[in-house]
Amino acid sequence: MTRAAVLVAVVGGVVACVFAWREVRVTRTTMMAQQSADSRRMGEKLHAERLQHVRLLQVLQSRNGELRSKLNQSRAEAARLAIHSAQLRGDKAALELQLAEQQAAVEAEVLALPRRVSGHGDATDMWDGDAAPTVVELQALANPPAYRPEQRQHA
């Protein structure tokens, strides 16, 4: 009986080991299938994410190209405006020079023309009247006018 009990125990142990190994093999197969499915799903997600990144890079590259062309256009416009500004500064300097010349001509010395005395008399006629000559008339006597053609044209 002891032998039979030992035999039953050994057979029970072998059967338990066989079932345990089978359970381990089934569990391992199930886990490997799940891991493979997870890997496949993650690969698909990674592929979709990479495609999205490629599209994003294409959009960014096209936007970058547009911005570069706008930058080049802006630089060209800035250069044109700088040239135009330099021309305007030159024109301003020329106009200021012309204005200074005009102001110099306007501020030129203007000589007063002597007053004409009515009548055909000379200096002695001034003293013949009841009134004495005025300061202006005396000044005209002291400084007789010298008629030069350039002064007459200027005045």
Side-chain angles (χ1 to χ4, degrees):
M1 266 305 246
T2 315
R3 285 187 185 172
V6 171
L7 184 66
V8 170
V10 170
V11 172
V14 170
V15 171
C17 275
V18 169
F19 284 130
W21 284 110
R22 186 180 298 163
E23 183 68 27
V24 167
R25 195 175 36 225
V26 169
T27 304
R28 186 183 305 168
T29 305
T30 305
M31 293 300 276
M32 289 186 80
Q34 285 179 350
Q35 188 178 11
S36 176
D38 288 344
S39 294
R40 203 172 312 110
R41 276 193 307 266
M42 294 312 285
E44 290 171 358
K45 284 183 180 180
L46 183 62
H47 181 68
E49 187 175 346
R50 284 185 180 167
L51 286 177
Q52 184 180 3
H53 288 171
V54 167
R55 285 190 299 256
L56 178 64
L57 283 175
Q58 289 172 346
V59 167
L60 290 176
Q61 285 174 347
S62 67
R63 179 69 179 149
N64 193 16
E66 291 172 8
L67 291 175
R68 280 186 185 154
S69 67
K70 285 183 181 179
L71 177 65
N72 289 337
Q73 290 173 354
S74 297
R75 285 181 178 165
E77 182 67 21
R80 281 193 297 273
L81 290 175
I83 290 170
H84 186 65
S85 174
Q87 288 173 345
L88 290 176
R89 273 191 235 109
D91 291 346
K92 178 186 174 200
L95 288 174
E96 285 175 347
L97 182 63
Q98 283 181 347
L99 180 63
E101 289 173 356
Q102 292 291 332
Q103 285 178 347
V106 168
E107 293 173 0
E109 184 179 346
V110 177
L111 300 174
L113 295 175
R115 287 183 38 194
R116 295 182 185 225
V117 179
S118 61
H120 297 293
D122 57 355
T124 57
D125 291 340
M126 273 196 250
W127 297 99
D128 289 341
D130 291 336
T134 63
V135 175
V136 174
E137 292 170 336
L138 289 175
Q139 201 173 24
L141 284 174
N143 301 316
Y147 293 108
R148 287 182 254 163
E150 65 265 359
Q151 283 185 342
R152 294 200 97 213
Q153 288 175 355
H154 178 68

